[in-house]
């Protein structure tokens, strides 16, 4: 499956059709018969089986997109692929649109990650050069089953920081700058002749984790404390001061524009509600003389140059209650992630980019008991677990939406994770480049690009 360009609508791609059997526990895909790898080697169902089982065996970071759901995958014949799931999964088709389900060439090492391999898959381009962290060169795959790419050769360069990337597009060294540009840079580039800035709503979100796990002894284990922090945060202020309006205020973990989204936190707390925050802090036993002390963690590079400003603005907003004292702490990304897993951070800033386009991807990894181990098990609620479980197997989207709405209301009530802002996708390109399509899937499609006359 793949997402139709410019939409979040799924369509068949490497398969011609599919069947759902045994109440959603079995999926059978009927593959195209003209699939070939870039060197002309035919790609059959056995290659899909081999590739997916390779992902399951290696167990790399994205392998959970397969291993959490798939019990077995089998090539029934050369063009029929059968998945047996551990249980029915309502959004399984969306999972098959993610890279762990893509077939890779037999040259890839069978039991370990092979990051410098260039044999590739069955897409519109083949890899002709790859220099780690520097350059990737693609050329049209003459064995591709679909329409030939509109641009024969694509060179992708990698830049260490946003400033270098901005200079490269300004000097004309590159034709397109994609991701990691700072809000200030985007505003400046909008005024440059010969360049065009594209901006569309994106699926990225930012949020604050308040560790409510009672075993750690943090004050954030008190629901009143978490609610007070949720009430004090002013997302409009964050959007304007930190992101110059390039990120929008967000009042739920489910992003705006996705079915089932509700503004749960705004309905319960408003925005920057200092008076409510003070009342909640008083109920929790705090005062101007006995202030709540919060350690707020942030990481300096992973989320870009604005992260320090975000932490500082949050500190100002919480201390505006007169009853909270915030100590800012930071760590580089690898240490930060390690601290999160160990539950070593009382309050911490994180971001999320979707793995698949479904409300499940914005709720289960954060709120379901055990699934949030990567955040140090900050929250567990049997009622939420049950709702998420029901939503994951229900095939009626209207019923699923009601389950997710209830989860969002409970999230706002318990406030273990406080949504902050939702990002938009931004791209800068020379104004005579056509075929640029951005959508919430955050997939950039090189094969549609062309030079306008």
């Amino acid at each position: 499956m793949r997402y139709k360009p410019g939409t979040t609508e799924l369509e068949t791609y490497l398969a011609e059709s599919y069947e759902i059997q045994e109440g959603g526990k079995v999926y059978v895909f009927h593959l195209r018969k003209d699939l070939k790898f870039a060197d002309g080697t035919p790609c059959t169902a056995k290659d899909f089986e081999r590739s997916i089982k390779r992902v399951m065996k290696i167990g790399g970071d994205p392998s959970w997109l397969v291993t959490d759901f798939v019990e077995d995958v089998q090539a029934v014949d050369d063009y029929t692929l059968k998945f047996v799931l551990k249980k029915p999964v309502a959004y399984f088709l969306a999972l098959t649109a993610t890279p762990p389900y893509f077939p890779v060439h037999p040259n890839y090492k069978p039991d370990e990650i092979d990051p410098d391999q260039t044999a590739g898959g069955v897409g519109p381009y083949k890899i002709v050069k790859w220099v780690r962290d520097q350059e990737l060169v693609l050329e049209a795959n003459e064995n591709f089953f679909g329409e030939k790419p509109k641009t024969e050769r694509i060179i992708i360069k990698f830049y260490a920081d946003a400033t270098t990337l901005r200079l490269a597009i300004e000097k004309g060294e590159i034709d397109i700058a994609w991701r990691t540009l700072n809000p200030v840079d985007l505003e400046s580039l909008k005024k440059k002749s010969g360049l065009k800035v594209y901006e569309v709503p994106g699926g990225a979100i930012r949020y604050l984790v308040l560790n409510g796990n009672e075993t750690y002894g943090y004050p954030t284990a008190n629901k009143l404390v978490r609610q007070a922090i949720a009430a004090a945060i002013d997302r409009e202020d964050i959007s304007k001061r930190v992101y110059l309006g390039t990120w929008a205020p967000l009042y739920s973990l489910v992003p705006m524009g996705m079915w089932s989204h509700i503004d749960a936190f705004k309905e319960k707390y408003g925005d920057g509600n200092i008076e409510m925050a003070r009342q909640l802090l008083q109920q929790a036993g705090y005062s101007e003389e006995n202030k709540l002390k919060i350690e707020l963690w942030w990481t300096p590079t992973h989320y870009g140059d604005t992260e320090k400003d975000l932490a500082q603005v949050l500190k100002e907003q919480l201390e505006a209650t007169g009853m909270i004292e915030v100590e800012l702490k930071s760590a580089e990304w690898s240490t930060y992630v390690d601290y999160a897993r160990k539950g070593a951070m009382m309050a911490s800033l994180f971001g999320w980019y979707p793995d698949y386009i479904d409300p499940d991807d914005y709720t289960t990894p954060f709120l379901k008991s055990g699934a949030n181990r990567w955040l140090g098990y900050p929250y567990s609620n049997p009622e939420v677990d049950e709702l998420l479980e029901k939503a994951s197997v229900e095939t009626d989207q209207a019923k699923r939406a009601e389950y997710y709405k209830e989860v969002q209301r409970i999230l706002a009530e318990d406030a273990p994770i406080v949504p902050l802002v939702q990002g938009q996708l931004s791209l800068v390109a020379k104004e005579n480049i056509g075929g640029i399509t951005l959508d919430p899937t955050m997939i950039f499609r090189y094969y549609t690009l062309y030079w306008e006359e």
Side-chain angles (χ1 to χ4, degrees):
M1 305 297 290
R2 73 166 182 176
Y3 290 99
K4 191 180 294 184
T7 76
T8 56
E9 181 182 343
L10 287 166
E11 64 179 5
T12 55
Y13 188 51
L14 303 185
E16 294 175 332
S17 63
Y18 61 86
E19 301 170 46
I20 303 175
Q21 303 174 351
E22 298 185 26
K25 197 167 184 292
V26 174
Y27 281 69
V28 178
F29 290 87
H30 302 285
L31 304 176
R32 297 177 64 102
K33 296 181 176 60
D34 54 355
L35 296 177
K36 292 182 180 179
F37 293 106
D39 64 357
T41 303
C43 176
T44 69
K46 288 192 179 299
D47 291 295
F48 282 80
E49 177 187 325
R50 170 183 52 77
S51 301
I52 295 166
K53 285 184 173 176
R54 175 177 178 270
V55 168
M56 298 169 79
K57 183 177 182 180
I58 293 174
D61 189 34
S63 63
W64 69 271
L65 290 165
V66 179
T67 56
D68 280 13
F69 308 98
V70 176
E71 183 175 292
D72 194 19
V73 54
Q74 304 166 352
V76 177
D77 57 39
D78 281 353
Y79 305 109
T80 307
L81 187 69
K82 178 181 178 182
F83 288 92
V84 179
L85 307 187
K86 295 177 178 177
K87 62 180 181 182
V89 179
Y91 47 88
F92 184 66
L93 291 177
L95 291 172
T96 65
T98 63
Y101 289 84
F102 297 171
V104 295
H105 193 280
N107 284 355
Y108 279 79
K109 295 176 182 176
D111 53 6
E112 62 180 288
I113 296 172
D114 197 0
D116 294 323
Q117 177 58 254
T118 58
V122 297
Y125 285 102
K126 61 183 178 183
I127 303 169
V128 296
K129 184 180 179 184
W130 163 236
V131 182
R132 187 189 293 267
D133 298 328
Q134 294 182 28
E135 188 176 80
L136 173 67
V137 180
L138 306 175
E139 287 184 359
N141 174 10
E142 57 268 26
N143 290 302
F144 178 54
F145 63 89
E147 183 180 350
K148 185 180 178 182
K150 293 183 178 178
T151 297
E152 178 73 21
R153 184 181 174 90
I154 299 285
I155 301 172
I156 302 167
K157 291 183 177 292
F158 300 88
Y159 292 87
D161 55 64
T163 301
T164 313
L165 179 61
R166 172 189 168 161
L167 288 173
I169 189 74
E170 277 190 309
K171 292 179 179 178
E173 296 172 356
I174 58 176
D175 305 309
I176 297 174
W178 168 235
R179 297 208 189 164
T180 70
L181 286 165
N182 293 324
V184 173
D185 293 336
L186 285 170
E187 290 304 308
S188 174
L189 291 170
K190 286 177 183 176
K191 301 169 186 171
K192 295 282 184 183
S193 63
L195 295 178
K196 185 175 179 180
V197 176
Y198 295 78
E199 295 174 319
V200 299
I205 63 171
R206 299 302 314 277
Y207 53 91
L208 173 66
V209 179
L210 301 173
N211 200 320
N213 191 321
E214 294 183 353
T215 62
Y216 300 124
Y218 298 136
T220 46
N222 186 335
K223 186 168 82 172
L224 291 169
V225 166
R226 299 195 300 270
Q227 290 178 326
I229 291 172
I233 291 174
D234 186 339
R235 295 160 186 80
E236 290 281 356
D237 184 46
I238 291 171
S239 173
K240 292 176 182 173
R241 280 208 284 161
V242 179
Y243 298 104
L244 303 180
T246 58
W247 288 64
L250 179 65
Y251 301 94
S252 173
L253 284 177
V254 178
M256 294 174 286
M258 179 171 283
W259 57 273
S260 83
H261 166 88
I262 57 173
D263 288 331
F265 279 75
K266 191 167 190 177
E267 292 169 5
K268 183 167 182 62
Y269 303 104
D271 206 23
N273 192 337
I274 297 298
E275 185 54 38
M276 179 187 283
R278 285 177 59 85
Q279 291 174 7
L280 290 163
L281 288 167
Q282 286 174 348
Q283 292 175 40
Y286 297 98
S287 66
E288 293 181 352
E289 292 73 33
N290 176 35
K291 292 184 178 181
L292 166 67
K293 291 182 170 47
I294 293 290
E295 291 178 356
L296 173 57
W297 286 82
W298 61 284
T299 186
T301 54
H302 186 75
Y303 295 114
D305 299 343
T306 53
E307 199 65 1
K308 184 177 183 180
D309 298 333
L310 174 59
Q312 184 60 41
V313 168
L314 279 172
K315 173 181 168 68
E316 292 174 17
Q317 292 180 352
L318 298 181
E319 292 186 342
T321 62
M323 299 168 67
I324 300 177
E325 184 176 310
V326 177
E327 180 183 3
L328 295 181
K329 292 191 170 187
S330 67
E332 289 296 337
W333 180 242
S334 59
T335 303
Y336 196 76
V337 172
D338 187 48
Y339 283 175
R341 290 193 184 115
K342 294 176 179 174
M345 298 189 288
M346 181 192 305
S348 51
L349 289 167
F350 275 92
W352 186 255
Y353 299 90
D355 299 297
Y356 48 95
I357 308 300
D358 191 276
D360 181 85
D361 195 41
Y362 289 93
T363 49
T364 293
F366 308 96
L367 304 176
K368 193 172 185 180
S369 302
N372 56 11
R373 54 190 177 276
W374 61 285
L375 286 174
Y377 303 97
Y379 181 65
S380 179
N381 183 329
E383 184 180 3
V384 171
D385 291 347
E386 183 179 353
L387 287 165
L388 291 174
E389 186 67 23
K390 287 180 178 177
S392 72
V393 299
E394 175 59 59
T395 56
D396 185 327
Q397 183 169 308
K399 292 181 180 177
R400 291 188 73 207
E402 290 307 311
Y403 291 139
Y404 288 121
K405 287 177 182 177
E406 185 58 22
V407 167
Q408 291 168 80
R409 294 186 189 100
I410 297 173
L411 167 66
E413 169 66 24
D414 291 349
I417 297 176
V418 181
L420 299 174
V421 288
Q422 178 176 341
Q424 64 180 15
L425 298 179
S426 302
L427 177 148
V428 182
K430 290 181 177 176
E431 61 183 6
N432 57 341
I433 294 179
I436 293 174
T437 303
L438 299 180
D439 56 51
T441 65
M442 303 182 73
I443 298 169
F444 189 65
R445 299 169 178 85
Y446 300 103
Y447 58 89
T448 62
L449 301 176
Y450 62 91
W451 290 100
E452 294 178 337
E453 297 296 332

